[in-house]
Amino acid sequence: MSSAPLEKEFCIQKLNAVLALINKLLESEFPHPDTKAALDTLQTVFSTELNRLTSLSDKLSLDTTLGYCLDANVRIVKLQLFLGMLIRSSNLRNAFEMFFPIKILARQMLTPDHAKLILSSEWHFSPFTYPVSPEELPGFIFIGFPASESQNALLIPLAAHELGHVIWRRKGRGVKADFDPAIRDCILDLYRNNWTRIKTDCFDGREIDKSKLETDLFTIGTWGQSATLAQRQLEEIFCDFIGVFIFGPSFLHAFRYLVAPSLGKSRSVKYPSLRARAKYMKFAAEHYGIPTSDNFVDGFQEQLTRLPKRSTAIVEMADSATEQLYPKLIELVDKHHGEAKPYTTYMTEVKNTRVSLENLIPAANTDSIAVIVNAGWEIRLALEKWDLSLREKDKQKIEVEKMRILNDLLLKSFEVYEFRKRLKRHAT
Amino acid sequence: MADVHELALLSLNTAQQIDLELGGEESDPSVLRSFGDALSKMSGVGLPQTRAFLSYDPATTEIFAQAAGEVATHEISDIEALSEFMTNIVGPLIRDEHRLERDQLKAVKLFSLAFHRALLAHQLVGFEDDGSTMSDEFRTS
């Protein structure tokens, strides 16, 4: 047994620093109560951690005390990311008009308990931030748009992808728990059917009996990596399918706008290749009877990842499992979309809404955010045909001005949507 | 998998109770029982009609293998050896009216701390590989 080590003293100091930061943040003003609720929760989490550490008996062994210090460090490391998002969620850079429609969508897809929303702007150019909400913040959904695009109303469909992650991973009723056994079985079949190659590429010629595939820890470690990658890839496709299901063509346009042809990095093996992903989205769109452009898939080009032989085999097995299993995700979307209605329910309203927006009147007669944003995309994709009789003669400047006006109209339409929803709620 | 941090905390509390017990202080045996139950539920070890670790998520097996590999005195290369090792840890914890010997307590404590580290490392991987960074060990360029 030992007296308290310096590490414990340092961890207590670090926890106090985090708590001081949270207290400072809590003095700020927040546009939505969810951010404050998250900070309150984190304050409790870190206070509990601090109390735990300060009340530890000095009679504990050094390794046990260091275990508690590690625990505190991990909480700080993990939750610091989310503190950053909470700070940025209150920045005026965000389009606060987008908050309510996304929150409504979250309530429709999940239970109200699961629908506390943090919407922020981020300093990396990726629409896909923090798919994993920490267990310390149950029910909170973190969505971040790239800072330069955080005012872009046409990107609201991408929020559905993020909500898809919550559906996939939610405890008890999540898609992951349902689907993981199928992924595991598929990967095992692929390893058995490609055993000669696997032995050479993955096991360095080591003699391993095929019958020990599920019991030898080294082989489990190998196919386990393929299974994990396939799980991640299929999760991404599921989230894309949710986006297509709810937002129809506007999801495809938003994804293409933000990502195509690629963002320059080589492919992450935790995602399907961009072209494969586009192919899967097109498949879902066709399944739902949503029109897509013929060249949608061709717009994506990505640097392939160069890998050592063993990793190549592991990734190829994951890719093959994904290719085999992705059609089954349609059934899972049908089963898990909650109260959110498919885009096709409202498809016929888009034309009228587009006409309204073209006449500079915010949409006021629809119950669907998907209708508003699809009408917006129709105008955006035929911008030159939108006659606004502007005095400006420079074609470039006219386009910029039209897009600004379109964005303002969409944001205003979101406000009208919010107003209508709130009125309806109070009327019942 | 159960809440990772909850389980991680239970591992630490187990080590804490064992320290107290070994130091002749008052300890809470229910913590050890809870830890045994949680391990049993997570791995299948000690459950009736279950072949431990088979049909489980390979990532779960990996966490157990990592923790067991760190503290076992012999090589653990397959599920059978891992199950045997885990039975030796879990068995005494979930047996009714059983008081653990000092050696058993020391073994459980070593495992609980290794298990805590393995769980947290696994959890952080889940956060680091979010879509924003797209970082992964496979990317080469």
Side-chain angles (χ1 to χ4, degrees), chain A residues 385-423:
Chain A
K385 291 183 189 160
W386 191 20
D387 182 14
L388 288 177
S389 305
L390 298 170
R391 284 184 189 170
E392 178 64 55
K393 297 291 173 221
D394 183 315
K395 206 180 158 194
Q396 280 284 331
K397 286 181 180 167
I398 290 173
E399 285 212 346
V400 170
E401 184 59 5
K402 281 182 178 177
M403 284 189 280
R404 185 191 66 75
I405 293 169
L406 176 61
N407 202 55
D408 282 353
L409 277 167
L410 291 173
L411 292 177
K412 189 52 76 183
S413 300
F414 294 165
E415 282 185 317
V416 175
Y417 171 85
E418 175 178 351
F419 181 70
R420 277 167 56 90
K421 287 276 179 196
R422 286 187 190 278
L423 271 185

Side-chain angles (χ1 to χ4, degrees), chain A residues 306-317:
Chain A
R306 209 164 39 79
L307 299 168
K309 205 164 59 171
R310 180 172 187 273
S311 301
T312 300
I314 290 171
V315 173
E316 282 182 14
M317 292 300 120

Side-chain angles (χ1 to χ4, degrees), chain A residues 95-109:
Chain A
F96 295 120
E97 298 89 339
M98 285 158 71
F99 180 89
F100 190 81
I102 298 175
K103 177 129 177 157
I104 286 287
L105 184 61
R107 279 174 174 266
Q108 289 169 344
M109 293 167 74

Side-chain angles (χ1 to χ4, degrees), chain A residues 1 22 48 83 85 102 151 164 168 170 197 204 224 241 252 264 267 312 322 330-331 357 363-364 397 399 402 411-412:
Chain A
M1 306 295 165
I22 293 173
T48 308
L83 271 176
M85 263 188 119
I102 298 175
Q151 296 270 344
W168 183 275
R170 69 182 153 177
R197 183 205 169 177
D204 227 4
F241 283 13
L252 304 179
R267 177 200 165 193
T312 300
T322 300
I330 293 284
E331 286 166 42
L357 293 174
K397 286 181 180 167
E399 285 212 346
K402 281 182 178 177
L411 292 177
K412 189 52 76 183

Side-chain angles (χ1 to χ4, degrees), chain A residues 121-400:
Chain A
S121 58
E122 297 299 296
W123 290 100
H124 45 72
F125 200 88
S126 164
F128 312 131
T129 47
Y130 308 122
V132 198
S133 170
E135 62 191 60
E136 291 87 347
L137 290 166
F140 285 90
I141 302 160
F142 287 82
I143 297 179
F145 286 102
S148 56
E149 297 293 338
S150 59
Q151 296 270 344
N152 188 347
L154 290 169
L155 296 189
I156 204 169
L158 297 175
H161 174 101
E162 296 309 314
L163 296 174
H165 284 296
V166 184
I167 296 176
W168 183 275
R169 295 181 183 212
R170 69 182 153 177
K171 288 201 173 71
R173 295 166 297 141
V175 185
K176 181 173 164 53
D178 271 1
F179 205 45
D180 276 358
I183 298 172
R184 176 197 159 99
D185 291 348
C186 184
I187 289 288
L188 283 169
D189 281 347
L190 282 163
Y191 269 71
R192 286 190 191 100
N193 297 337
N194 294 279
W195 189 244
T196 308
R197 183 205 169 177
I198 292 294
K199 252 189 355 182
T200 313
D201 290 358
C202 295
F203 304 144
D204 227 4
R206 199 174 135 190
E207 207 45 60
I208 293 178
D209 188 341
K210 193 165 32 169
S211 66
K212 292 188 175 163
L213 192 59
E214 290 182 74
T215 55
D216 182 277
L217 288 178
F218 183 69
T219 63
I220 293 172
T222 306
W223 66 257
Q225 288 184 65
S226 293
T228 303
L229 293 178
Q231 284 167 4
R232 288 296 308 268
Q233 292 183 10
L234 286 156
E235 178 178 345
E236 293 300 330
I237 301 167
F238 172 81
C239 297
D240 288 341
F241 283 13
I242 285 277
V244 175
F245 175 81
I246 292 168
F247 280 101
S250 63
F251 182 82
L252 304 179
H253 300 319
F255 183 79
R256 189 177 185 176
Y257 168 83
L258 206 66
V259 176
S262 83
L263 296 179
K265 290 177 180 174
S266 54
R267 177 200 165 193
S268 163
V269 294
K270 287 166 184 151
Y271 289 73
S273 74
L274 277 177
R275 194 165 275 213
R277 205 169 153 189
K279 183 186 90 172
Y280 301 146
M281 283 184 215
K282 196 171 163 64
F283 163 83
E286 282 164 2
H287 175 84
Y288 296 128
I290 292 163
T292 58
S293 70
D294 291 338
N295 62 0
F296 176 68
V297 176
D298 298 336
F300 295 92
Q301 282 184 341
E302 189 176 30
Q303 179 65 47
L304 295 177
T305 312
R306 209 164 39 79
L307 299 168
K309 205 164 59 171
R310 180 172 187 273
S311 301
T312 300
I314 290 171
V315 173
E316 282 182 14
M317 292 300 120
D319 287 348
S320 298
T322 300
E323 185 67 26
Q324 282 185 34
L325 294 172
Y326 82 86
K328 291 185 190 300
L329 295 172
I330 293 284
E331 286 166 42
L332 295 171
V333 171
D334 288 344
K335 190 176 160 192
H336 290 275
H337 63 76
E339 302 292 316
K341 295 216 170 75
Y343 164 72
T344 44
T345 312
Y346 299 102
M347 207 156 56
T348 52
E349 293 179 23
V350 173
K351 193 180 167 192
N352 283 344
T353 304
R354 192 190 71 212
V355 171
S356 176
L357 293 174
E358 279 172 340
N359 291 320
L360 304 179
I361 302 165
N365 295 313
T366 181
D367 276 334
S368 163
I369 204 75
V371 168
I372 298 169
V373 76
N374 273 286
W377 269 108
E378 286 191 7
I379 296 171
R380 168 63 187 88
L381 294 174
L383 210 55
E384 71 288 350
K385 291 183 189 160
W386 191 20
D387 182 14
L388 288 177
S389 305
L390 298 170
R391 284 184 189 170
E392 178 64 55
K393 297 291 173 221
D394 183 315
K395 206 180 158 194
Q396 280 284 331
K397 286 181 180 167
I398 290 173
E399 285 212 346
V400 170

Side-chain angles (χ1 to χ4, degrees), chain A residues 1 52 56-57 59-61 63-64 67-68 70-71 74-75 77-78 81-82 124 126 128-136 171 176 180 184 214-218 220-221 223-225 227 229 231-232 265-271 305-308 311 314-315, chain B residues 1-9 12-17 19-20 22-23 25 51 53-59 61-62 65 76-80 82 109-110 113 116-117 120 123-141:
Chain A
M1 306 295 165
R52 189 178 295 128
L56 275 188
S57 163
K59 290 174 181 166
L60 296 186
S61 65
D63 50 1
T64 302
Y68 281 99
L70 171 65
D71 209 67
V74 167
R75 288 241 200 228
V77 168
K78 196 175 70 172
L81 298 168
F82 296 94
H124 45 72
S126 164
F128 312 131
T129 47
Y130 308 122
V132 198
S133 170
E135 62 191 60
E136 291 87 347
K171 288 201 173 71
K176 181 173 164 53
D180 276 358
R184 176 197 159 99
E214 290 182 74
T215 55
D216 182 277
L217 288 178
F218 183 69
I220 293 172
W223 66 257
Q225 288 184 65
L229 293 178
Q231 284 167 4
R232 288 296 308 268
K265 290 177 180 174
S266 54
R267 177 200 165 193
S268 163
V269 294
K270 287 166 184 151
Y271 289 73
T305 312
R306 209 164 39 79
L307 299 168
S311 301
I314 290 171
V315 173
Chain B
M1 203 186 293
D3 279 355
V4 174
H5 223 110
E6 209 173 284
L7 198 56
L9 196 57
L12 283 181
N13 291 343
T14 300
Q16 183 186 39
Q17 293 306 318
D19 274 354
L20 295 174
L22 291 174
E25 304 283 325
R51 295 178 67 199
F53 297 108
L54 293 174
S55 317
Y56 279 71
D57 185 342
T61 307
E62 182 65 27
I76 295 179
S77 61
D78 58 26
I79 291 282
E80 204 178 326
L82 181 61
K109 186 191 146 183
L110 274 179
L113 290 174
H116 172 252
R117 288 191 294 271
L120 292 191
Q123 190 190 32
L124 278 184
V125 168
F127 278 91
E128 284 164 356
D129 69 0
D130 68 85
S132 60
T133 56
M134 291 188 182
S135 63
D136 60 71
E137 70 279 16
F138 285 114
R139 198 197 300 282
T140 55
S141 57

